[in-house]
Amino acid sequence: MTAVLMAMIAALLIPMVEAFQDEDIWQRMLAFASIATKTSVMILVVSVLRDDWMIGMVGVLILSVGNAALMLLAHIIRRLSEVMEEY
Amino acid sequence: MSHSAITDNYLYVIMVLLPLAALMLVIQTSPYQALVIRGILGAVAALIYAVLGGADVALTEALVGTMLAITLYAVAVRSSLVMRLGVLSGEEVRSNLHWRPLLNYLRALLNRYHLRLELVTYDDVQTLHQALQTKDVHGTCLVCRPAEAVQLPDDDRPAQHSNPSTVPVDTLESPYLITLRVPRLYEIFTTELPPVMAQVKALGDDGLDDLRTGDRQPALADASTLTEDD
C-alpha cells in the first residue's frame, strides 16, 4: 500500500513540472485540476490505509469542493480572455 | 490516530512537495499564473494536513485557503490590472480596420506589464475629456485627421487653422494622439511606443508644440498631482 502511495507521489510530480514549465494559462489550469484531484485521492488512500473515517470524510469534501473552486477560477479566467479577444 | 503512521517513509516525500510548490509560487511574475500555483499550493497543503492527522485544518485550508482566497484574488486582479482607454464612438474603433495595428501593438505592449487594454467609448470629445479629468479612464486616444489637411487647398489652410504652426506636425507624424494622465503609463508609452504608431502626451500638455520642444516636466508634475491617490 505504501508503494501505491509512493507511485501516486511520483505521479503528482508530473503535473507540477508541467505547471512550472508551460506558459499557457489553460495548461496550468489543467495541471491544477490534476493536482487537486490527485491530492484528494491520496487523502482517501491514506484514510483507507489507516482505517480513519474522519480523514476519509475530509478527503471526500476536498475532492468535491476543490473541483468547485477550480470551476469558479476557470470561469473567471474564461471571462477575462473573452474581454481580451473582444475585437 | 495511529502514532506509528507519523513515522512512515512516504510522509517525508509528501512534505518535500510543500516547499517545492511554495518556491514555484514565489518565482512567478504573472499574477494569473501565480493564482493557479496558489491553488496547487493549497491542494498540497491540504494533503499534508490531512496526512498528519489535522482533518479540520485540511478542510479549512481547502475551503478558505484555496477556494475563497483564489476567488477573491482573481476578482481583485481582474478589476485592477487594466488600462482603460477612452475613444470616440464615432470612430468605430472595434470594427474599423485601420485601428487594428495600433490596438494590437498597444495590447502586446501592455501585456508585457501584465496589463489588459479595455476600450471605453464616448459620444463626443467633451465627454471624453470630462472622463479623463474625472479619472474615469487612464487615457484617451484621438485621431488628428491629417487627411483633411492634405486634401484642403493651400490657400484655404490658414482660414481653417488660426495657428498654422501646428499643421505640419499633424501631417508629418502619426494621426493617433494618446493623452495619458498616469505618469507611469506615460513613461512606458514614451519609451516603448514608436512615434510612427502614435503620438503620446501627458494630461495638461496643451498643444503638440510643447511635446516637440521638450518641456515635459510641468506636464508630468500636473499629472502626478491629479493621480496621487491612484
Side-chain angles (χ1 to χ4, degrees), chain A residues 44-85:
Chain A
L44 287 175
V45 169
V46 168
S47 74
V48 171
L49 193 67
R50 296 183 188 170
D51 197 17
D52 190 344
W53 279 79
M54 186 175 75
I55 293 179
M57 188 67 211
V58 168
V60 169
L61 280 175
I62 290 176
L63 184 62
S64 57
V65 173
N67 285 331
L70 193 79
M71 279 178 62
L72 275 172
L73 184 58
H75 201 77
I76 290 173
I77 292 177
R78 186 177 63 88
R79 287 278 302 274
L80 182 81
S81 22
E82 275 175 9
V83 170
M84 288 177 92
E85 292 154 10

Side-chain angles (χ1 to χ4, degrees), chain B residues 25-201:
Chain B
L25 175 61
V26 166
I27 61 179
Q28 280 304 310
T29 51
S30 167
Y32 285 99
Q33 316 265 351
L35 267 181
V36 180
I37 308 283
R38 174 68 183 83
I40 293 174
L41 179 71
V44 173
L47 169 70
I48 288 181
Y49 297 151
V51 165
L52 288 181
D56 48 348
V57 187
L59 193 59
T60 310
E61 173 66 37
L63 285 176
V64 177
T66 306
M67 188 174 164
L68 190 65
I70 282 189
T71 311
L72 290 182
Y73 282 156
V75 170
V77 168
R78 182 173 180 268
S79 54
S80 63
L81 284 174
V82 60
M83 179 197 165
R84 290 163 64 88
L85 188 67
V87 290
L88 289 178
S89 57
E91 304 281 351
E92 292 172 340
V93 177
R94 283 166 218 270
S95 55
N96 210 333
L97 274 182
H98 75 87
W99 277 88
R100 197 146 292 194
L102 177 69
L103 288 181
N104 284 339
Y105 193 89
L106 282 185
R107 214 169 297 131
L109 169 67
L110 291 174
N111 205 23
R112 265 178 275 152
Y113 294 91
H114 309 295
L115 287 168
R116 285 183 297 125
L117 181 68
E118 185 180 324
L119 295 180
V120 188
T121 53
Y122 290 92
D123 286 335
D124 52 8
V125 183
Q126 301 294 324
T127 51
L128 193 61
H129 285 306
Q130 183 77 24
L132 191 64
Q133 296 287 343
T134 58
K135 301 177 185 174
D136 206 16
V137 290
H138 298 118
T140 60
C141 189
L142 289 170
V143 182
C144 298
R145 306 215 176 279
E148 292 177 6
V150 172
Q151 285 166 5
L152 282 172
D154 283 343
D155 49 351
D156 281 345
R157 200 179 289 175
Q160 293 280 329
H161 299 274
S162 59
N163 185 7
S165 67
T166 60
V167 176
V169 178
D170 288 352
T171 53
L172 282 176
E173 290 189 345
S174 164
Y176 303 107
L177 174 66
I178 297 176
T179 312
L180 296 166
R181 68 169 174 82
V182 184
R184 176 67 184 137
L185 282 177
Y186 181 74
E187 276 175 33
I188 292 174
F189 274 56
T190 43
T191 50
E192 299 196 28
L193 194 69
V196 290
M197 298 289 291
Q199 306 166 58
V200 182
K201 68 169 188 155

